[in-house]
Structures are given as structure tokens and as C-alpha cells.
Amino acid sequence: MIERLKKVRDLHRSFEDLIPHIAEGSKEATIKAYQTLNEEIREISEILDEAFTIGREFEGSAKETIRVLMQMKGILEDVLSNLDDRGKLEFHVKKLLSFNRSFDYIVTENLNTLITYAEFVEIVKEGKIPSSVLDKISEVERFAHKLDALIKFLRLLYDKPSDIFKVEFSLRKANESGMRWVDEWYLQKDTGLSGDEIRDILDSLTLIGVVERKERGGGSVYRVRDIGED
């Protein structure tokens, strides 16, 4: 199980290595990425058949991994079907690159968590638990919070990409106009989006390094990372 999970992790790294070539319009890289992604899905599907033997959390993480892999497969299929149409191809490649910002993080962290679970089960069977593994387990809860935020972001990125761009544009516009740190209520007023949706987007943009956050007056304020201080 552990070696198979590590194989999937290696496949995912190979997939990510092809992303820059897809961005350049390489047909060969796009086809290779599609083949690699299908192999990832096949391996995780087979692992999922045995997931119940490890536990509910492991099974849930494996299912979530397949779900986001399938979302990427659908986007990649759109790229493949428009390789001969330059205008449409550019649109679908941009969508893939935007989706990949969170996709790569979620899949990588999910696979690392699955490997940790599998290692833990194997060690328990042997009757000894090294402190390094216990440290990894203590990080799972913190990771779960970040993963939940990014999963929400990934769904928004797939279903409502314009909302994400709207929030980022509104924040950037406010920063560039002299408002160095921006409250959520300002973004809510400027974009017309709900407070919950804006918080989900800002949490994820912060996690992936696009946005910075600090606490001020009992609440959170934000700025685009590349704006910086005066």
C-alpha cells in the first residue's frame, strides 16, 4: 500500500512537470499529462478498494483525491479537444493553470497524509511507534483545516472562477488606490458577494501565497502579496 501511494505521488510530480509545457501549447505534453493523470486515477481507485481496512479518514482522503483528479481530467479533456483551435485552446489552458494552483497543493498534501496513515498502520502492526510518526499525526488536524479551505476554493475555482478573480481584482484595486490593508466588509460591498464566500476565497488565496493577512482591531485585513509596504 505504501509503495503504491508513493508511486502515485511520483506520478503526480511527473504530471506537474508537464504543466509548463502545456502552457506553451505542447500537444505531446498535453497527451502525456492526460495519460499520467489516468494512471494516477487508476492507482488511487485500486487503493480505495482496500481503504476501509485502514480507516474512515484514510478512505475519505482517498475519495477526495479521486474527486479532484477527475475534475482536472475534465479540464484537461477540454484542452485536448481544442488543440487545433488557438482561441479556444488559450481559454482552456488558462482555466487549467488557474485550477492547478490549488489542485497541486491539495493532491500533494492529500497523498502525503495517505502515506502517513498507511505508515502508521504498518508500524502499529509491528508494535512500535517512532516519535517522528507521532509528530506527523499531530499535524493532520492542522492540515485538515487548510485542506477544507482549499477544497472549498477548488470548487469555487471550477464552478465560479469569476468570483475568485472578482475578489482578487477588488483587493488589488483597493491596494493600488492607497488602501494598504482591506477589510472583508469592503470587499463584500465592492463585489456583491456574500461574506462567507469572500472569507473562503481569502482564506485559500492566503494559503497559496497570493494574499497576506493580519489581525487588526479584532478582525482580519488583507492585501495582495506583491503590493508590499510603502
Side-chain angles (χ1 to χ4, degrees):
M1 175 74 77
I2 296 170
E3 291 307 313
R4 291 171 68 187
L5 285 165
K6 288 181 178 179
K7 178 184 176 181
V8 178
R9 187 171 62 184
D10 289 341
L11 285 168
H12 180 66
R13 288 170 178 165
S14 297
F15 174 85
E16 288 299 321
D17 287 342
L18 293 166
I19 294 295
H21 302 293
I22 295 174
E24 295 170 357
S26 169
K27 181 177 180 179
E28 293 76 13
T30 306
I31 293 171
K32 178 63 176 176
Y34 187 72
Q35 293 169 342
T36 303
L37 191 65
N38 276 327
E39 192 172 353
E40 282 187 72
I41 292 170
R42 182 169 57 253
E43 290 287 343
I44 286 290
S45 296
E46 291 177 2
I47 289 168
L48 185 57
D49 290 340
E50 305 172 29
F52 71 94
T53 63
I54 293 182
R56 187 177 299 174
E57 293 294 329
F58 182 93
E59 187 175 16
S61 293
K63 286 180 178 178
E64 186 60 42
T65 303
I66 286 180
R67 192 187 67 78
V68 295
L69 289 171
M70 292 301 296
Q71 284 183 287
M72 176 58 85
K73 180 179 178 179
I75 294 174
L76 196 53
E77 286 174 345
D78 288 337
V79 175
L80 283 167
S81 64
N82 289 282
L83 286 173
D84 297 324
D85 188 325
R86 193 179 186 89
K88 291 183 179 178
L89 178 62
E90 184 177 353
F91 169 79
H92 289 294
V93 168
K94 283 183 178 179
K95 184 176 180 180
L96 183 148
L97 295 176
S98 295
F99 185 79
N100 191 63
R101 287 195 302 178
S102 295
F103 169 80
D104 180 30
Y105 181 91
I106 288 174
V107 172
T108 299
E109 293 299 321
N110 240 8
L111 288 172
N112 288 338
T113 298
L114 289 169
I115 290 169
T116 298
Y117 271 113
E119 287 176 339
F120 177 71
V121 169
E122 184 172 296
I123 291 168
V124 167
K125 288 179 180 178
E126 294 176 359
K128 54 183 179 179
I129 306 176
S131 59
S132 60
V133 174
L134 290 174
D135 290 341
K136 285 184 180 180
I137 294 169
S138 69
E139 294 174 1
V140 170
E141 186 174 343
R142 292 193 296 273
F143 162 71
H145 173 72
K146 293 180 180 180
L147 182 61
D148 182 61
L150 283 172
I151 287 170
K152 290 178 182 177
F153 179 69
L154 196 57
R155 287 170 179 156
L156 284 169
L157 189 58
Y158 188 74
D159 296 331
K160 300 178 182 179
S162 61
D163 287 353
I164 295 169
F165 299 136
K166 189 183 295 184
V167 170
E168 186 176 345
F169 176 76
S170 176
L171 182 58
R172 186 177 295 277
K173 181 178 64 174
N175 288 160
E176 290 175 347
S177 69
M179 191 182 300
R180 306 310 298 168
W181 292 94
V182 183
D183 292 293
E184 291 174 9
W185 65 264
Y186 174 88
L187 297 173
Q188 187 174 350
K189 181 179 178 181
D190 190 51
T191 63
L193 300 175
S194 71
D196 287 343
E197 186 173 0
I198 287 174
R199 277 188 292 275
D200 287 343
I201 292 171
L202 288 171
D203 282 350
S204 299
L205 289 176
T206 301
L207 283 173
I208 63 176
V210 175
V211 165
E212 290 183 89
R213 172 174 54 202
K214 75 174 183 177
E215 298 304 310
R216 187 177 68 185
S220 297
V221 289
Y222 303 83
R223 71 178 180 196
V224 177
R225 181 173 290 276
D226 60 22
I227 295 293
E229 296 276 18
D230 285 332

